[in-house]
Amino acid sequence: MFFYYVDLAWRSIKKTPVLSLLMVLAISIGIGITITTLNVYKMMSFNPAGERSDELNAVQLWSQGPDSWDELNSLVTYQDAMNLRNNTLPKRQAAMFRTGMALQTEDVNFAPILESIRVTDSDFFKLFDVPFLYGNVWDKSVDTEPAYQVVINDKLNQKLFAGQNSVGKVIYLNRKPYQVVGVIKAWDPKPKYYDPTNGAFNDTEQIFVPFSLTPIEEFDVWGNTSGWKFETMNSYSDRLNSEKVWLLYWVELPNKDAVTSYRSWLSNYVAEQKALGRFTDKKSAADSVKVSDVATWLEYNHVVPEDNKILVGLSALFLSVCLVNILGLILTKFLKRAPEVGVRRAIGASRAQIFAQYMVEVGMIGLLGGLLGLAWAYASLYGLSAQFEVSKGLTHLSASMWIITPSIAVGTALLAGLYPAWVVCRTKPSVYLKSQ
Amino acid sequence: MLHIKPILSSLLRSKSGPVLLLIQIILSVAIVANASFIIQERLALMQRVSGVEESEVLTFSLFNFDPLIDKTAQNKIDQQILRGLPNVIDATSTNMLPLSGGGWSSTFNLGPDPDSAKSTPQFAMYLGTDHTLETLGLKLIEGRNFYPHELKDNLDSPSRLAIISSALAKAIWPDESPLGKVLYEGKDAQITVIGVVEKLQGAWIDSSSLENSVIQNVDYGSSSYMVRAKPEFHAELKDAIKKALLAENPNRVLDGFKSIEALKDSSYRDHKLMITVLIMMVVLLLLITSLGLTGMVMFNIQRRTKQIGTRRALGAKKRDIVSYFLVENYLICLAGGVLGGLLAIQLGQQLMKIYSLPMLDLSYPLFTVAGLFIVTTLAVYLPARKAANISPATATRSV
Amino acid sequence: MLSMKSVSKVFKTDLVETHALRDFNLEVNEGEFVAVTGPSGSGKTTFLNIAGLLEGFTHGDYFLDGINVSNLSDNKSAAIRNEKIGFIFQGFNLIPDLNLAENIEVPLRYRGFNAKERQRRVQQALEQVGLASRLKHFPTQLSGGQQQRVAIARALAGEPRFLLADEPTGNLDSLMARQVMELLENINQAGTTIIMVTHDPELARRAQRNIQIVDGQVCDFTMYQPHGSVQTAASHPLDKLVANAD
């Protein structure tokens, strides 16, 4: 019976091409706008940690004094990071920040390039599931006994070493030699959840160096450094000893118990620091610590801009206008065909069968609208990315949209068709049989 | 001559058509009013004056990686080289770039004791030279520029000078001249205000303290530079700068050549994107509403062909038929406008609560309704003209 | 076959109550050809709509083929229409978008026959009305008489127990009308009960039995024996009016 309805629906659509086109256009425009905004929203609100979202936790501390910041900062001080690193409770942990250095190779003709670099601990790669192509991360001992070792990504390896296994080779950063110990495969989580403070949709760094080199090499900080009080900053050691926050700190806590015990360890730590004269705000030690899983962390850092949420809301309203619009058009169309319904009813079609026939027809219009809407969305995403240099990751039509779009379109159409189909299946057949 | 009563009662008796139209208009008014309000607000943001000669200032970053380099001396040499290049009006080192989205932000105290003194509002902290005003094209409205001999090499110096933006000056000293006033940084450093520029924006366009800026006499250098030249020379200047500075010292990377205009553009990109999408929405919404309206009026006319014929037979002029449909439309629009306006305000309040948007101005729903009147008049007028051409003879023909 | 007892139908508006049928009694036997006449507005169409289960009624009982159809659900009455009743209309009411075969197929679709069975019945029905060669034509390509024959084929395809015809020749010229009438008579002779509403006394006379509806009641009847078969009042003991008139 379904295919009979499909056949009838197709005939009916073909019979009133202008009206059908209007309906398909109305749905497709509504869908196009909704999918465009929804796609960007989905891409932005994506949680790249997946199943590991609960296990990966960012640490935040209320280290500021009274009457200064009224929010937790996403970053922590160097002193705190170093103290946290001494704790062995977390399964894995890493401090990190972004720097930049001039990159050179042994090839003298290679013009130096300025590269953005992540300074971090060896656990970083296991924490964030970074896949290795060659070699491995530097040894864990390097986290305490600094060594000039480096991990680079595949893309850079292609550029510098023609994609060969470059483990053991040397690159120069600010003219210092670093030995390559590992090459990672393409890895570019969007949003860049391990550090959303430097632009949540920036590309991942291509070079990773040990955090333990920081006090020796005095790496520039290519990120935010925030202070809540004035401190003289004449040397790098001033920075290291200051109350300024500029580091991210991640821990891996495999379960709820681990989170609880880590949290209580943290508040003990804050209590100790309070006794030493730091953490001077009135807040209790327990309230001064925050351990956020990835989902909470992304939310806290406003990775999805409010504008985008507004647009999703407005486009949902827009879609509802389209819905009301096609509801009117469908009603018009169906009422015109009431005589035919009369005949069918007389011949023995039940109300349910008439209803089903018309729902199939609107469903089909919805499907056509959805397909066209998908094309609109594709085009508008393409246009937006060309016009506004929006990150490709955000304007790429997500695979799930191939299912979501037709579902929303058909759902919308069915919703709009509900009332007209109901009206038309309720009409008394006898009324339409007599007169022509 | 407008017979509103019979039209109204016929509207009230017919069920779904007008109701659908009403819902559509209510939703449209709510959306369009809020969308155009946001558009207007963003446009106003984008039209703010930065105080800088945006198109003329070319900026770039310079990264020295020679460990043996004397950065302070090199910075001075580099600036001399930049100022000596052809077509360059002026050039200076800086610690941050206006409207770039990244930079330094700080507060000072109004008294020497950091624990008791009031602090200034947040401001963008520029470190510059005696060439900064000329390079950025800032307008000095009070006081004077730095003298070359007053320049410091770093922030260690306990007594420094400052030129501040008039917005900041007004915020700190609403009734007094800021000249000669002293600001304090921590316990030791004192900063004396020697000049006021009419306008200088900071780096973060969405910051509430965008207009508050301080330039200090610190030739910080060695990271960012600004060069002023007519825009048509920028392309060749870029090559000339690279060549000259690398010839001076090859152990450095020069990068990120951009005019402040370009920096501003990318800072405002999200707002532009928002405006574009919203305009798209408003236009399409009006299009869809008017198409739907036309379709519905056409259907109504078809259904009432006989009635219209009868009216014509009874002596209605063509004009009367057209005005019948128009009045019917206006009644729906009016009701939709009032309800939609209320919904728009409600929606605006929700947006305001959740997304810290400012209060929706009442004029927006009003303008939207006015716009709808015009659009729907067109959408109704065309099919209604056709209806008016229905022959009175239709009435006498039996169906 | 068909039995209505004290059936009445009242239309109510805010102002007036209209009695379309009042205390309507009728008994039709299997194999009968009944012509229903009456002035316009008398309730003929209401009677036909109720008989065909297109409309409900206010009071009384209605048995069709032994089944009480007084308060059936929509699904059940649709199924009965589909299986037991064939409709023929004055305006033919063929669906213009469908070709002849597809038009005739409509009731078979709703009954859930498979493609093969549908095809067989369509072919058979079209042969019965003499249009077997026009399978793929569309209704608008046919003359009125041909269209009506297709409509009859559609009614026959479901092999119904009885046909309800509403002015079946009303839109036809006399030659075509005669052909259609003859077709109906043949169908009747093959065993199908027919109730035909008409205002043409000429046609009515060709039916075995005539009923006149005036003001929603059966008020007169005449019996004809056009083909010599004897039909007496005694064979309708339940039909009070028939007995009275005798």
Side-chain angles (χ1 to χ4, degrees), chain B residues 277-388:
Chain B
V277 175
L278 287 176
I279 287 178
M280 226 160 78
M281 266 193 198
V282 168
V283 170
L284 289 175
L285 197 64
L286 290 178
L287 188 77
I288 283 187
T289 306
S290 48
L291 280 182
L293 187 63
T294 312
M296 220 117 50
V297 170
M298 267 158 47
F299 175 63
N300 271 341
I301 288 168
Q302 241 172 37
R303 223 180 38 185
R304 286 190 273 183
T305 302
K306 195 170 164 138
Q307 197 200 100
I308 294 165
T310 311
R311 278 171 194 274
R312 295 272 288 133
L314 292 175
K317 296 188 202 72
K318 288 189 177 187
R319 208 183 51 210
D320 297 329
I321 302 295
V322 173
S323 71
Y324 179 94
F325 283 101
L326 282 178
V327 169
E328 187 182 73
N329 169 60
Y330 290 148
L331 284 177
I332 297 174
C333 266
L334 199 67
V338 171
L339 293 173
L342 290 175
L343 184 69
I345 292 168
Q346 194 56 40
L347 186 71
Q349 262 167 4
Q350 292 302 319
L351 287 176
M352 189 172 67
K353 231 182 269 164
I354 307 171
Y355 299 124
S356 57
L357 281 183
M359 177 74 185
L360 176 72
D361 198 286
L362 263 179
S363 59
Y364 286 91
L366 287 179
F367 277 122
T368 309
V369 174
L372 267 177
F373 265 68
I374 297 168
V375 172
T376 56
T377 300
L378 274 177
V380 171
Y381 185 74
L382 298 175
R385 267 258 310 269
K386 236 171 99 185

Side-chain angles (χ1 to χ4, degrees), chain B residues 150-175:
Chain B
E150 289 170 334
L151 294 188
K152 315 286 181 194
D153 289 335
N154 54 48
L155 281 165
D156 297 357
S157 166
S159 72
R160 303 195 292 263
L161 303 176
I163 298 171
I164 66 177
S165 68
S166 64
L168 182 64
K170 280 206 188 73
I172 306 176
W173 303 285
D175 308 315

Side-chain angles (χ1 to χ4, degrees), chain B residues 2 29 37 67 78 83 105 113 124 164 177 194 200 208 214 230 248 253 256 260 278 284 302 317 326 330 361 374 381:
Chain B
L2 297 176
V29 169
F37 176 62
D78 289 343
R83 285 176 203 133
S105 154
D113 178 14
I164 66 177
S177 166
I194 60 158
L200 172 59
S208 57
V214 170
K230 294 280 172 216
E248 161 64 22
V253 181
I260 289 183
L278 287 176
L284 289 175
Q302 241 172 37
K317 296 188 202 72
L326 282 178
Y330 290 148
D361 198 286
I374 297 168
Y381 185 74

